[in-house]
Amino acid sequence: MEIGIDSFASAMYGDNNTLSSVDAMEQLLQRIELADQAGLDVFGIGEHHKKEFLDSATVVILSAAAAKTSRIRLSSAVSVLSAADPVRVYQSFATLDLISKGRAEIVVGRGSSIEAYPLFGYNLNDYDALFKEKLELFLQIRDNEFVTWSGKFRPALNNLPVYPRTLQEKLPVWLGVGGTPESFVRAGSLGLPLMVAIIGGQTHRFRPLIDLYREAGKAAGYQPEELKVGIHSPGFVGTTTEKAIEEYYPGYAELWTKLGLERGWPPVTKAKFDGLIDDLGVLIVGGSERVAEKILKHSEALGGISRFTFQMDNAGLTHTQLMNAIELIGSKVIPLIRNG
């Protein structure tokens, strides 16, 4: 199993939210560099277009990280393909692949945060149709140097080449999904690796959806080993489970309560938090042994996963706390999982 971290390049954490954007970006790059040195497998950067995040130009951040790292894979988490030009997205990630010497990946999705749609002039009524069409074009570009294509939302291409090409034979493309069954079936039918964002509730409840993905992939002729499943969940590793909870809970409660006001979720309470960190709950928060044990349990409950990524910089944690967590993931959590 691959273990990594996803970040939304938060500009609003720690030190009473007084961190400047320049310092936040510098510290993010330091964390990616440490993740590379500590032996983590992948680091993903999200895409938002909000004041509190600095990740609107995902590939720029990943390219800066590529120059500071040597082995870790660099991915989006996710790229809102629906609101972008697939040609330009491919060119950007192909360039990243060249800079990183073959370490680029992309997770594409429709986006749970929808601010990109009005910003780039798209209608939310076309939410799914946009993604379906643009994913089709993106995969054609990935697989073919010369592309002939026509659709509704973008001018046609008539045997036109798209450059540069990736160093990798094929850019790894994961499909990022939430809880919509059709999205799981689409990923399976296309034979794309699946990245499931599980941010609340109990992880095992996603098993029927992941089974749908595997069934759709099998029906489309793909082998089980081609149908990889990754999980993205909030989490944090501390020196002990008690210390991890003490450090993680206050910022988590504050920021997720604020997010809940936007999305219609109830406020976070300690009782609800305790339910989320129990054996079945989604939050992977604890000491190294507890975290490794829970990741393995979740993998078993979902029929086996190929990748797990922590979302850590959404809980008011300081740069020092995040750096310590990365070191613990590399030195303790990963060995425990691979020996478990």
Side-chain angles (χ1 to χ4, degrees):
M1 188 192 306
E2 296 176 324
I3 304 295
I5 291 173
D6 291 332
S7 172
F8 297 162
S10 172
M12 302 286 289
Y13 70 89
D15 302 323
N16 299 315
N17 296 338
T18 59
L19 197 69
S20 73
S21 295
V22 170
D23 289 340
M25 188 65 73
E26 180 181 12
Q27 291 180 3
L28 172 60
L29 292 172
Q30 289 173 2
R31 295 197 294 275
I32 302 174
E33 188 173 9
L34 177 62
D36 181 61
Q37 296 168 354
L40 277 68
D41 298 293
V42 60
F43 206 108
I45 300 292
E47 179 189 337
H48 298 81
H49 303 270
K50 296 182 176 181
K51 182 178 181 179
E52 60 265 38
F53 301 116
L54 301 174
D55 60 349
S56 63
T58 306
V59 179
V60 177
I61 299 173
L62 293 172
S63 294
K68 293 175 172 288
T69 57
S70 61
R71 53 163 301 279
I72 197 167
R73 299 195 63 80
L74 300 167
S75 178
S76 61
V78 304
S79 293
V80 185
L81 187 61
S82 307
D85 182 348
V87 174
R88 209 68 176 115
V89 174
Y90 178 83
Q91 290 174 325
S92 296
F93 276 86
T95 303
L96 170 65
D97 201 51
L98 298 178
I99 294 170
S100 66
K101 298 181 175 62
R103 293 185 283 129
E105 298 189 3
I106 185 171
V107 181
V108 297
R110 298 178 298 180
S112 58
S113 295
I114 57 174
E115 69 277 357
Y117 290 82
L119 185 63
F120 296 108
Y122 292 101
N123 191 326
L124 274 171
N125 292 329
D126 298 321
Y127 186 71
D128 191 64
L130 278 164
F131 183 69
K132 182 179 179 181
E133 178 176 297
K134 293 192 175 189
L135 177 60
E136 175 193 312
L137 174 55
F138 187 81
L139 293 176
Q140 281 199 36
I141 296 168
R142 180 192 69 163
D143 297 343
N144 302 278
E145 183 176 341
F146 285 79
V147 179
T148 297
W149 175 92
S150 64
K152 177 181 177 181
F153 300 104
R154 189 202 185 280
L157 298 172
N158 185 17
N159 197 36
L160 290 176
V162 179
Y163 300 119
R165 307 305 297 176
T166 57
L167 176 63
Q168 298 175 86
E169 182 178 353
K170 280 190 177 183
L171 177 71
V173 178
W174 296 67
L175 190 61
V177 300
T180 307
E182 292 79 8
S183 297
F184 288 78
V185 172
R186 174 159 43 213
S189 298
L190 293 171
L192 295 177
L194 183 75
M195 179 54 71
V196 190
I198 306 179
I199 62 174
Q202 297 180 328
T203 299
H204 74 276
R205 294 176 64 184
F206 279 76
R207 177 63 183 266
L209 293 170
I210 290 173
D211 286 345
L212 273 179
Y213 163 70
R214 291 178 170 133
E215 290 164 7
K218 181 179 179 181
Y222 295 99
Q223 298 301 311
E225 59 271 17
E226 296 179 273
L227 302 171
K228 297 193 296 184
V229 176
I231 299 299
H232 157 110
S233 288
F236 177 64
V237 186
T239 51
T240 66
T241 294
E242 293 74 17
K243 187 68 173 174
I245 293 170
E246 177 188 330
E247 294 178 343
Y248 186 82
Y249 174 71
Y252 174 86
E254 177 184 350
L255 294 179
W256 284 79
T257 295
K258 178 182 176 183
L259 184 60
L261 292 174
E262 300 175 9
R263 301 195 180 186
W265 302 337
V268 175
T269 65
K270 187 59 166 60
K272 290 179 180 177
F273 177 81
D274 288 343
L276 290 172
I277 62 172
D278 69 12
D279 284 349
L280 299 180
V282 64
L283 294 182
I284 310 289
V285 177
S288 301
E289 291 187 1
R290 170 62 176 165
V291 164
E293 175 189 37
K294 194 166 178 181
I295 291 173
L296 289 171
K297 283 183 177 179
H298 283 191
S299 177
E300 182 180 3
L302 297 176
I305 63 174
S306 300
R307 176 177 290 182
F308 180 88
T309 56
F310 291 86
Q311 167 60 24
M312 291 199 301
D313 61 359
N314 61 343
L317 296 162
T318 67
H319 177 58
T320 298
Q321 289 170 326
L322 293 169
M323 293 284 273
N324 289 340
I326 290 169
E327 289 181 340
L328 288 169
I329 292 169
S331 64
K332 295 188 176 181
V333 175
I334 289 176
L336 285 167
I337 287 173
R338 293 185 179 157
N339 294 330

